[in-house]
Every structure is written in structure tokens, then in C-alpha cells.
């Protein structure tokens, strides 16, 4: 079974703090994704990585950056957390070949106060 | 612009009362439509992938079908444990990225 592990289930941070969200997958997947999920808005793609050290902006990258130094690990960084970044963050991974099923972690619920 | 719309937003059923969830999509050249189930406080769990109009897939009480403009998730004789949010997504062009709908929240009452 594919396993995607997010380091924290719940986080509470203060405005202006630098926040790191970590994601690890154990299936040697090439592609990894970070989404945020908000009520009424669904899942929105923040960043995408298709290989080590390679990244691509998604639909809402502002205020976020990412790091992928190793194939199994994809980190999401909030450089200076703001209250509008309070959300559920979901990491996913998939192979580079069809059928490209995305497998998700359990999510990190981040509250920025 | 690629778009995915799910309806209804919420659906309440009695146990055993069959129904369908809808996912309509606008995408240039469909390269895969995905259904996921999401339980509260958890990440989405993959259910089905469909690729071409007329295709159907089944798993227990769930059956997914696909036409050129929409997909249906049919739930036959649902049980309370089928209660969840069901998400639909389509692949964007030649990429591995997905566009998600906002989901249907299903509640099945005993």
C-alpha cells in the first residue's frame, strides 16, 4: 500500500512565523503535490514537483514556497504565516506514468492566530 | 477554462435509499476522471478512474459511469458507513495535475 505521511495533524502558529509542513511518501513516486482545502472552495493546488529539485507553481502559490531535496520528501514553507493561510493542507504523490492516481496524506490542519 | 462542477452540494439519504451524485466537467481532451472519498479530518481516498465515455466501474455499493460531459456516482442501497464527502477530479491536459470539484457531502441515516 502507498503511504503518504504528513508530519503533523494539527499546528497552531502565530502571524509572521515561518512554518514548515513536511510530507514523505514511501512508493518512489516522481510527482508530489501540495494542496489546501477550504470549505466551498475545494482542493486548490499550491505547488507541484515532478522530480528532485524541480518544482512548478500551482494555482495559488503566493505566500508559499517548496523544497524537494530528496525524492521521497516534499516540504511546504510559509515564509511569514498570515491568518488567511489558516486551512487544511494536503500532500499527495503519484507515479509519472499512467494512471497517475494521486495518493493523499491525512492532512495538516493549520491555524494561524 | 477547465472546470469541474459537482451536484448536489449535500445529500441526505435513508439507509437503503439509492441515489446518484453528479460531476460535470469542461476540459479540452479528457485524459482521466477520478472519484475520491473523503472522511472528516482525513485525506481523500481513491475510488475510481474513468477514461472514456461509456466506461463503468464498480466497487461494492458504488458504481461510476462516464459520458462526454459528466460522470455519475451511483450509490445502491447505501449504509451509514457510506457517509462521506465524494470528490470528483479531472486531469489537466498532458500534465499529472488534477482539477477538483467542491464535492458532495453524503449523509446516510439509519
Amino acid at each position: 500500500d502507498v503511504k503518504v505521511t504528513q508530519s503533523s495533524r494539527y499546528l497552531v502558529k502565530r502571524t509572521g512565523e515561518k512554518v514548515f509542513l513536511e510530507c514523505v511518501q514511501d512508493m518512489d513516486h516522481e510527482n508530489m503535490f501540495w494542496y489546501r482545502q477550504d470549505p466551498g472552495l475545494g482542493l486548490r493546488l499550491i505547488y507541484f514537483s515532478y522530480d528532485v529539485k524541480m518544482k512548478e507553481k500551482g494555482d495559488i502559490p503566493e505566500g508559499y514556497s517548496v523544497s524537494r531535496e530528496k525524492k521521497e520528501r516534499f516540504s511546504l514553507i510559509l515564509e511569514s504565516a498570515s491568518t488567511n493561510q489558516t486551512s487544511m493542507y494536503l500532500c499527495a504523490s503519484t507515479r509519472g506514468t499512467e494512471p497517475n492516481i494521486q495518493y493523499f496524506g491525512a492532512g495538516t490542519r493549520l491555524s494561524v492566530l | 477554462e477547465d472546470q469541474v462542477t459537482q451536484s448536489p452540494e449535500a445529500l441526505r439519504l435513508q439507509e437503503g435509499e439509492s441515489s446518484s451524485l453528479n460531476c460535470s466537467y469542461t476540459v479540452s481532451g479528457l485524459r482521466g476522471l477520478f472519484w475520491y472519498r473523503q472522511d472528516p479530518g482525513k485525506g481523500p481516498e481513491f475510488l475510481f478512474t474513468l477514461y472514456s465515455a461509456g466506461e463503468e466501474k464498480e466497487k461494492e455499493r458504488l458504481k461510476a459511469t462516464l459520458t462526454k460531459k459528466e460522470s455519475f456516482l451511483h450509490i445502491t442501497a447505501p449504509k451509514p458507513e457510506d457517509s462521506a464527502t465524494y470528490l470528483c477530479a479531472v486531469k489537466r491536459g498532458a500534465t499529472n495535475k488534477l482539477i477538483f470539484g467542491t464535492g458532495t457531502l453524503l449523509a446516510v441515516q439509519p
Side-chain angles (χ1 to χ4, degrees), chain B residues 12-16 78-80 83 107-110:
Chain B
R12 182 170 292 184
L13 299 174
Q14 291 296 125
E15 186 171 1
K79 298 182 177 182
S83 298
V108 182
Q109 296 181 314

Side-chain angles (χ1 to χ4, degrees), chain A residues 60-100:
Chain A
I60 51 165
E62 297 78 18
Y64 303 94
S65 62
V66 290
S67 173
R68 193 159 178 212
E69 296 296 318
K70 293 185 178 181
K71 191 173 186 179
E72 67 271 18
R73 187 179 297 270
F74 192 34
S75 303
L76 180 69
I77 304 156
L78 286 66
E79 295 290 343
S80 178
S82 63
T83 55
N84 63 13
Q85 292 179 310
T86 292
S87 187
M88 171 71 116
Y89 289 87
L90 290 160
C91 174
S93 72
T94 183
R95 292 191 188 287
T97 54
E98 296 287 346
N100 300 128

Side-chain angles (χ1 to χ4, degrees), chain B residues 7 11 15 18 30 44 54 56 74 76 88 92:
Chain B
S7 62
L11 181 62
E15 186 171 1
S18 300
L30 181 68
E56 298 183 351
H74 307 278
T76 303
C88 171
R92 302 189 196 192

Side-chain angles (χ1 to χ4, degrees), chain B residues 20-107:
Chain B
S20 296
L21 313 182
N22 177 265
C23 171
S24 61
Y25 62 89
T26 306
V27 64
S28 27
L30 181 68
R31 297 184 69 244
L33 183 143
F34 299 77
W35 281 100
Y36 285 84
R37 170 192 170 127
Q38 187 175 23
D39 293 302
K42 296 187 177 180
E45 178 184 343
F46 171 74
L47 291 173
F48 304 110
T49 308
L50 302 166
Y51 289 99
S52 55
E55 190 175 358
E56 298 183 351
K57 289 201 176 164
E58 285 189 69
K59 181 180 179 179
E60 295 180 356
R61 295 176 292 281
L62 300 176
K63 183 168 82 172
T65 61
L66 183 64
T67 72
K68 287 187 178 178
K69 292 187 177 181
E70 56 193 348
S71 177
F72 293 93
L73 185 65
H74 307 278
I75 303 175
T76 303
K79 298 182 177 182
E81 53 261 42
D82 295 321
S83 298
T85 296
Y86 290 86
L87 300 171
C88 171
V90 297
K91 283 186 72 174
R92 302 189 196 192
T95 73
N96 294 325
K97 293 185 281 188
L98 298 178
I99 308 169
F100 281 86
T102 53
T104 295
L105 175 61
L106 175 67

